[in-house]
Amino acid sequence: MTVVQTEVGEQTSERLTRSALIRLRFFRNRLAVAGVVILAMMFLLAFVGPFFSKHRWDELDFLALLQPPSQEHWFGTSQIGGDVFALTIRGLQKSLIIGLLVAVFSTGLAAIAGGFAGYLGGKVDRSVMWLIDALLVLPSFLIIAVMSPLYRGRTWLVFVVLLAAFGWMVTARIVRSATMSLRERDFVRAAQYMGVPVRKIVFRHLLPNVASILIIDATLNVGATILSETGLSYLGFGVQPPDVSLGSLIAEGTASALTYPWLFMFAGSALILTVLAVSFIGDGLRDAFDPGSNKSKKKSKAS
Amino acid sequence: MNTPSSASNLIEIRNLSVTFPSEAGIVRAVRDVSLDIRAGEVLGIVGESGSGKTVMSLSMIGLLAESASITGSISYNGVNLLELNDNEMSKYRGKDIAMVFQDPLSALNPVHTIGRQMAEALHVHGDYSSEAALRRAIELLEIVGIPRPAERAQSYPHEFSGGMRQRVMIALAIANQPKVILADEPTTALDVTVQAQILDVLKTARDMTGAAVVLVTHDLGVVAGLADRVAIMYGGKVVEIGNVNDVYSSPAMPYTIGLLRSIPRIDDAGSSRLASIDGAPPSPVALPPGCAFAPRCPAAAPECDASVPELVSITPSRMTACVRQTDIAGLQSSGKLFAEIPRHVALQSVTEGVALEVRGLRKTFPLLKGSVLRRRVGSVFAVDGVDLTLREGRSLALVGESGCGKTTTLLEILNMVAPEAGTITVLGRNVAELSRKQRLEMRKDLQIVFQDPFASLDPRLPIGDAIAEPLDNFGMPKVEQNQRVMELLELVGLQRDHASRYPSEFSGGQRQRIAIARSLALNPKVIALDEPVSALDVSVRAGVLNLLAELQEKLKLSYLFVSHDLAVVQHVADDIAVMYLGGIVESGPVDEVFAKPQHPYTQALLSAVPIPDPKVERVRKRIILQGDLPSPANPPAGCRFHTRCQVRATLPAEVAATCVSDRPELVLRNASLVACHAPLN
Ligand SMILES: Nc1ncnc2c1ncn2[C@@H]1O[C@H](COP(=O)(O)OP(=O)(O)OP(=O)(O)O)[C@@H](O)[C@H]1O
Ligand code: SF4
Ligand code: SF4
Ligand SMILES: [Mg+2]
């Protein structure tokens, strides 16, 4: 017998839907919850921290250049006398939002484009593939640079959209080939014969079955975006000096990591904590989506 | 168990246990099995999937995976085969003990010709020169019935059909005059008419070599026709062993009793329902503490869980493993063990309404060649000329061998669009004339249950959501959906709290129930069932079949039941349509068609189905068709069956000629429709 009877006698008429089950399984996973808590604390730090800071991020203390952490400057000061605590927090604000938004947007785009292309095939598939190939061969940094006059001065959120727009193609391809094989499965056919519309088939049946690909992709994207965003800053857009991001702080601090470790350490730790928290959440989500994983549920399966 | 070894025992297996490590725990595939194989006998080993029959037979020729740990002994000629290393074992393999596998394609080397592979096998063990070996190979191919053997020896394995490959495997097996032939599910992958051919060849092979044959299978019918003794395996143990006639006529262990009563018979529709054994076979990683059958056994008592029952002799030639053996006969006669329940009788179609009508349906697939520029080089006539009439409240079975177009027909009907040719009428409406909206509405009335319940349920969707999906799709409010899901779960014999579980937590039989529940959600009038039990374990099939019959009665459903298993059809269907190579050759009421088949193909098909009763099975005259199913890309002209027809040869020349020139139409004759120029009976 595969199913172990858990409730004795009494017949429930309650049932848990998939989303309820996923939530349940997610929050039963300690690491995942820890991830959520860490991430929440990072946000708290980033947005509430400034109110407690003794210095503003753009305030320079010419009497304290390159000072190690002290009572006055908790995380020390930079070459030009900026307060590293305030700078780190400022960077964290930007980077958290950019990292998470870009990850969610680009993975979402990959899921939708790959899912529909793989399921529908034909013309839709050909156009999506054409777009993917075109975007892959075009040097994205260059395009962003060429287009930069168009959005210079506008909010850096444009930048999020751009980063996402150039980051979804490879994953979309993977999703597409995964859905192409899923499309032939009987459960998809069953849904078709029940008259389930295309949109629902893709979102309810296909994407959940490639959830692990998507989650891994999104998780990796967070860290990668935070770091690569600096590259674009050099090209003159995104987060511009004197404004800072975790990426720029790390990039600048690395050179003096051994001599003035506080320049690098705090921003680095913030990045590591963020990435760690996100990957805990990712793992938790993956297990919550995958009924075969036993981590997030009691062992109720016998075979 | 200490049976004294006797001279006639060829192989003596003593206390054999085989375990494998696995993620989920230790897999106890074979548990303390002791068994003798006597010289020249045919020993059937019957068991469901996972019962350990393959592992046991593989351990006799040392072909188990490296990870297996084996204890006990297997002695052959005084040698313990388990102590031999691979090199020493290979002297026995093929020469003394030969093997025929279920899947001959994986056992043959794809890059060498058949002749060369056979010659090699002969050369290794025998004293043949390579030339003599090739000659002998051709001789052997002739013995196993390969036409034009000298020519075919030059072919590669992929150029052979499944049946022909299995013949080659048998030829290879008998090449060195072995003492024992192990055949693991030798016919499971084959169609029934081809199965009949192969079983016949196996008999010839046995007679020629005098070898003992160990026939491993889940099919009780196959064993009935061939075996002298039968061993029934369950949960890694032999639970009953004895003479075939005795075991079939008076099974003694509850599992055997249930199993034999749970399989439908083609020669007897029976007045009672099939016995259904609750639950599913145990997982070999989590076996019950005592008798492995205890969780499903209607006779289980506390003592059954105390220790694993040993095989004990109950008559000189019979042994069973059941602690309550002495009580079983009593329980059986008092109806406490798999009691007979009267069977549901077909509704005489009260309304005479037609649920589904198909006329002249055709569906061809393009045959493409070339990998870059795909050119159409021809057509596969998957379905060509199918006529079906399903009356309200009845079940129509569509039967035929694999590749004859059954599933294509079904999918064409379910697509509900205008077919390539012909008409499809569902509940009085021609599907070609439906608007999009009407078609969607129509889907409520026509639902499908797929063959493989492991593929037809979304692994990432809890079953409650899966059952609710059609309801949601047609806009039922959430609260009502919930109500209905619970209702449906109970209707198919599952529990309400199952709703929040994922498909992976259920066994095959339970999943098929879930799929049935989903198909019933919208109160359909017609359900198409595509081989609904063929992917299930033998012992759980009856449960699902009974459920289907019950639902039909309760909900006044009409079933279009696709199957290749005629015994199942006999049990569930009211009408039958026999399909051959894309077309219907005969259709009519089941009783009529089974009793007096008019088309030669129907006749051959019926005679090829093995009957799980040795007394009947052995005296039955069997029509063995020649050859294989022709390719639907290139169907024979005229009557499509003429290349294999057993009747045509007996016809006067001018009728025989029309068989080749004119395709016969379906015409009404004695209550059935038949497409043949020279119908039988
Ligand atoms: N190499 C292996 N590693 C791990 N487990 C194995 C291995 N081979 C077989 N098993 C397990 O041993 C058990 C018995 O397997 P076996 O193949 O003998 O069953 P069977 O009766 O032949 O079933 P079937 O009807 O499916 O062929 C199964 O649970 C199987 O998964
Ligand atoms: S030992 Fe008990 S549980 Fe097992 S078959 Fe016999 S009666 Fe049933
Ligand atoms: S038409 Fe001729 S070949 Fe076809 S089944 Fe009838 S007798 Fe045989
Ligand atoms: Mg097997």
Side-chain angles (χ1 to χ4, degrees):
Chain A
M1 201 44 211
T2 324
V3 173
V4 177
Q5 243 78 296
T6 40
E7 283 82 12
V8 192
E10 168 193 339
Q11 290 275 296
T12 48
S13 64
E14 286 302 300
R15 80 186 164 87
L16 298 171
T17 57
R18 171 158 64 186
S19 42
L21 274 174
I22 288 177
R23 242 174 296 144
L24 201 71
R25 291 160 59 96
F26 180 80
F27 285 110
R28 216 184 267 155
N29 184 333
R30 291 223 192 98
L31 271 184
V33 174
V36 173
V37 172
I38 297 175
L39 203 63
M41 285 183 359
M42 303 293 285
F43 267 97
L44 211 66
L45 179 68
F47 291 94
V48 183
F51 298 112
F52 297 95
S53 175
K54 291 188 177 169
H55 304 275
R56 285 163 31 87
W57 68 275
D58 49 357
E59 184 185 303
L60 298 179
D61 184 351
F62 297 114
L63 296 176
L65 302 182
L66 268 183
Q67 291 298 306
S70 65
Q71 280 283 300
E72 184 60 28
H73 298 285
W74 295 338
F75 286 7
T77 56
S78 69
Q79 288 92 335
I80 50 166
D83 181 68
V84 177
F85 177 70
L87 286 170
T88 308
I89 283 180
R90 173 74 181 177
L92 194 56
Q93 282 182 8
K94 289 275 158 60
S95 293
L96 273 178
I97 292 188
I98 294 178
L100 292 176
L101 277 187
V102 171
V104 169
F105 279 162
S106 83
T107 304
L109 202 56
I112 292 171
F116 279 94
Y119 178 64
L120 292 173
K123 274 199 197 114
V124 177
D125 185 36
R126 276 196 298 277
S127 348
V128 171
M129 285 311 281
W130 180 85
L131 188 65
I132 287 178
D133 288 338
L135 284 177
L136 278 177
V137 293
L138 291 174
S140 54
F141 272 53
L142 207 67
I143 297 192
I144 297 183
V146 168
M147 282 164 58
S148 63
L150 287 179
Y151 49 80
R152 171 147 301 149
R154 292 196 200 177
T155 157
W156 49 274
L157 281 175
V158 175
F159 177 70
V160 166
V161 174
L162 275 176
L163 272 184
F166 284 101
W168 58 277
M169 294 85 71
V170 177
T171 314
R173 271 206 155 148
I174 301 173
V175 171
R176 168 183 172 264
S177 54
T179 33
M180 274 176 33
S181 64
L182 284 172
R183 156 179 94 178
E184 306 296 328
R185 299 271 292 276
D186 281 348
F187 68 83
V188 175
R189 206 168 259 156
Q192 290 165 346
Y193 290 142
M194 289 182 296
V196 180
V198 172
R199 181 174 42 86
K200 279 200 184 161
I201 290 184
V202 172
F203 284 107
R204 191 185 286 160
H205 295 292
L206 299 177
L207 295 183
N209 277 290
V210 296
S212 30
I213 303 175
L214 298 174
I215 292 167
I216 291 173
D217 180 62
T219 320
L220 293 178
N221 272 344
V222 174
T225 310
I226 293 179
L227 287 177
S228 73
E229 167 267 336
T230 10
L232 288 170
S233 306
Y234 286 138
L235 292 173
F237 41 93
V239 180
Q240 287 298 304
D243 207 344
V244 292
S245 68
L246 279 191
S248 65
L249 285 174
I250 290 170
E252 280 164 31
T254 329
S256 42
L258 293 177
T259 37
Y260 311 110
W262 61 88
L263 289 184
F264 161 82
M265 213 166 63
F266 296 107
S269 312
L271 174 71
I272 290 176
L273 268 182
T274 310
V275 170
L276 211 63
V278 167
S279 77
F280 285 166
I281 296 174
D283 279 354
L285 272 181
R286 222 161 34 136
D287 287 343
F289 264 95
D290 178 6
S293 103
N294 277 326
K295 267 197 205 145
S296 51
K297 63 170 200 198
K298 325 167 270 196
K299 249 192 130 53
S300 69
K301 225 175 85 177
S303 80
Chain B
M1 185 193 68
N2 289 311
T3 328
S5 44
S6 103
S8 68
N9 287 348
L10 200 57
I11 290 186
E12 288 175 359
I13 300 176
R14 290 291 172 272
N15 307 99
L16 179 74
S17 295
V18 183
T19 60
F20 298 95
S22 88
E23 291 265 307
I26 293 175
V27 177
R28 292 191 287 160
V30 175
R31 300 185 296 154
D32 197 23
V33 166
S34 298
L35 192 69
D36 298 324
I37 295 164
R38 302 178 186 155
E41 75 167 344
V42 177
L43 172 66
I45 297 185
V46 180
E48 292 176 86
S49 187
S51 60
K53 47 197 196 305
T54 299
V55 170
M56 188 176 83
S57 57
L58 288 181
S59 61
M60 283 187 248
I61 47 169
L63 284 182
L64 282 181
E66 288 280 307
S67 61
S69 60
I70 314 171
T71 59
S73 69
I74 300 179
S75 58
Y76 170 75
N77 263 350
V79 183
N80 182 357
L81 298 178
L82 294 181
E83 282 164 4
L84 301 182
N85 63 28
D86 196 54
N87 202 11
E88 293 163 335
M89 189 67 219
S90 65
K91 296 203 183 75
Y92 291 90
R93 219 181 274 149
K95 181 149 175 63
D96 294 89
I97 307 175
M99 181 99 197
V100 178
F101 294 94
Q102 170 172 358
D103 175 13
L105 190 56
S106 61
L108 292 168
N109 186 337
V111 300
H112 293 317
T113 61
I114 297 285
R116 169 149 178 222
Q117 289 186 53
M118 293 190 61
E120 211 159 83
L122 287 161
H123 197 61
V124 171
H125 288 296
D127 359 271
Y128 291 98
S129 67
S130 40
E131 208 167 297
L134 189 61
R135 260 206 313 280
R136 171 85 178 129
I138 293 171
E139 217 174 278
L140 287 166
L141 287 178
E142 172 124 53
I143 291 170
V144 296
I146 303 262
R148 295 171 286 123
E151 200 176 305
R152 295 316 303 251
Q154 305 303 318
S155 317
Y156 290 89
H158 70 93
E159 297 171 88
F160 277 24
S161 67
M164 287 191 9
R165 284 197 287 262
Q166 202 56 288
R167 288 170 192 262
V168 173
M169 284 305 295
I170 295 173
L172 271 169
I174 60 173
N176 293 300
Q177 299 283 337
K179 297 286 178 301
V180 186
I181 299 172
L182 302 177
D184 186 6
E185 308 265 10
T187 57
T188 304
L190 306 172
D191 277 318
V192 23
T193 57
V194 181
Q195 164 172 301
Q197 298 169 353
I198 297 299
L199 292 177
D200 211 43
V201 173
L202 208 55
K203 260 182 230 160
T204 319
R206 204 275 301 257
D207 295 344
M208 277 192 47
T209 55
V213 174
V214 178
L215 182 66
V216 178
T217 177
H218 67 275
D219 189 330
L220 286 154
V222 168
V223 169
L226 219 57
D228 304 312
R229 286 197 307 148
V230 60
I232 312 282
M233 284 191 79
Y234 190 81
K237 284 198 72 85
V238 173
V239 294
E240 175 152 10
I241 179 166
N243 205 302
V244 165
N245 287 335
D246 300 346
V247 172
Y248 277 71
S249 61
S250 60
M253 143 93 190
Y255 172 63
T256 322
I257 298 172
L259 192 63
L260 281 164
R261 290 252 352 261
S262 76
I263 47 176
R265 286 175 60 155
I266 194 172
D267 58 335
D268 174 20
S271 53
S272 61
R273 280 208 206 171
L274 300 175
S276 71
I277 309 177
D278 293 337
S283 148
V285 282
L287 289 165
C291 173
F293 188 55
R296 307 173 71 189
C297 180
E303 66 258 37
C304 301
D305 287 327
S307 65
V308 181
E310 289 295 313
L311 263 185
V312 271
S313 301
I314 53 166
T315 68
S317 65
R318 181 105 73 100
M319 296 200 279
T320 60
C322 174
V323 291
R324 299 197 60 193
Q325 194 58 70
T326 42
D327 311 332
I328 296 299
L331 287 170
Q332 218 182 339
S333 56
S334 63
K336 296 217 175 65
L337 208 58
F338 302 112
E340 310 211 341
I341 305 167
R343 183 178 167 227
H344 129 95
V345 186
L347 286 183
Q348 271 312 312
S349 188
V350 227
T351 53
E352 279 302 314
V354 174
L356 182 74
E357 193 170 59
V358 175
R359 288 284 168 270
L361 181 69
R362 182 164 78 211
K363 168 79 183 172
T364 55
F365 294 104
L367 193 62
L368 302 170
K369 248 217 171 104
S371 49
V372 188
L373 285 174
R374 295 170 69 76
R375 288 175 297 125
R376 184 175 179 136
V377 294
S379 297
V380 179
F381 296 87
V383 172
D384 188 6
V386 164
D387 288 359
L388 297 171
T389 306
L390 168 60
R391 293 189 186 286
E392 275 175 12
R394 289 173 74 91
S395 352
L396 167 67
L398 182 61
V399 304
E401 294 176 276
S402 73
C404 73
K406 305 185 292 285
T407 301
T408 313
T409 305
L410 210 60
L411 297 186
E412 277 300 292
I413 295 171
L414 276 140
N415 278 338
M416 292 205 220
V417 291
E420 215 174 290
T423 55
I424 300 170
T425 315
V426 182
L427 298 165
R429 308 193 53 172
N430 185 346
V431 297
E433 291 156 10
L434 294 177
S435 71
R436 238 181 121 95
K437 203 153 155 257
Q438 290 169 321
R439 187 165 300 128
L440 189 64
E441 250 345 83
M442 198 66 133
R443 294 217 179 276
K444 283 190 194 169
D445 289 327
L446 176 59
Q447 282 295 317
I448 182 167
V449 174
F450 289 95
Q451 173 172 14
D452 180 2
F454 288 83
S456 65
L457 294 171
D458 183 344
R460 296 269 165 113
L461 200 62
I463 63 148
D465 285 13
I467 298 173
E469 178 156 37
L471 302 170
D472 191 49
N473 201 31
F474 284 93
M476 185 187 265
K478 285 272 184 283
V479 184
E480 282 170 48
Q481 277 183 31
N482 225 16
Q483 204 72 42
R484 180 84 180 125
V485 167
M486 298 303 160
E487 230 173 79
L488 287 163
L489 280 173
E490 273 170 7
L491 190 63
V492 298
L494 292 170
Q495 284 156 23
R496 286 163 168 247
D497 58 306
H498 285 163
S500 317
R501 298 188 184 177
Y502 286 97
S504 57
E505 294 173 52
F506 297 91
S507 68
Q510 287 175 312
R511 287 186 193 206
Q512 200 58 297
R513 287 169 191 264
I514 297 164
I516 292 171
R518 178 178 61 184
S519 74
L520 290 174
L522 296 167
N523 279 320
K525 301 202 174 60
V526 186
I527 299 190
L529 302 147
D530 188 4
E531 307 256 14
V533 296
S534 70
L536 305 181
D537 275 320
V538 187
S539 69
V540 301
R541 283 184 192 172
V544 173
L545 289 176
N546 287 343
L547 172 70
L548 286 171
E550 207 176 286
L551 290 172
Q552 178 169 41
E553 204 169 356
K554 213 186 274 178
L555 307 174
K556 309 270 175 294
L557 298 166
S558 317
Y559 288 153
L560 175 57
F561 190 101
V562 168
S563 180
H564 70 276
D565 187 337
L566 286 155
V568 167
V569 167
Q570 158 80 332
H571 197 80
V572 301
D574 308 316
D575 302 305
I576 184 174
V578 183
M579 204 167 169
Y580 184 80
L581 216 59
I584 301 290
V585 294
E586 177 163 6
S587 68
V590 167
D591 306 338
E592 203 63 36
V593 173
F594 276 46
K596 281 190 259 133
Q598 300 183 56
H599 196 281
Y601 177 63
T602 315
Q603 185 195 33
L605 200 59
L606 287 170
S607 95
V609 180
I611 294 173
D613 180 345
K615 293 195 186 99
V616 181
E617 180 64 7
R618 281 171 197 217
V619 296
R620 221 148 65 101
K621 245 183 54 226
R622 174 156 288 156
I623 299 161
I624 304 227
L625 288 181
Q626 299 301 305
D628 297 309
L629 206 64
S631 155
N634 188 12
C639 171
R640 297 197 154 174
F641 186 56
H642 84 246
T643 52
R644 298 172 79 195
C645 183
Q646 74 277 23
V647 170
R648 196 168 79 94
T650 64
L651 296 178
E654 65 278 10
V655 187
T658 53
C659 291
V660 184
S661 58
D662 298 333
R663 187 167 178 191
E665 297 278 321
L666 274 178
V667 286
L668 188 65
R669 187 167 175 275
N670 312 337
S672 344
L673 292 164
V674 55
C676 174
H677 294 306
L680 306 157
N681 289 314

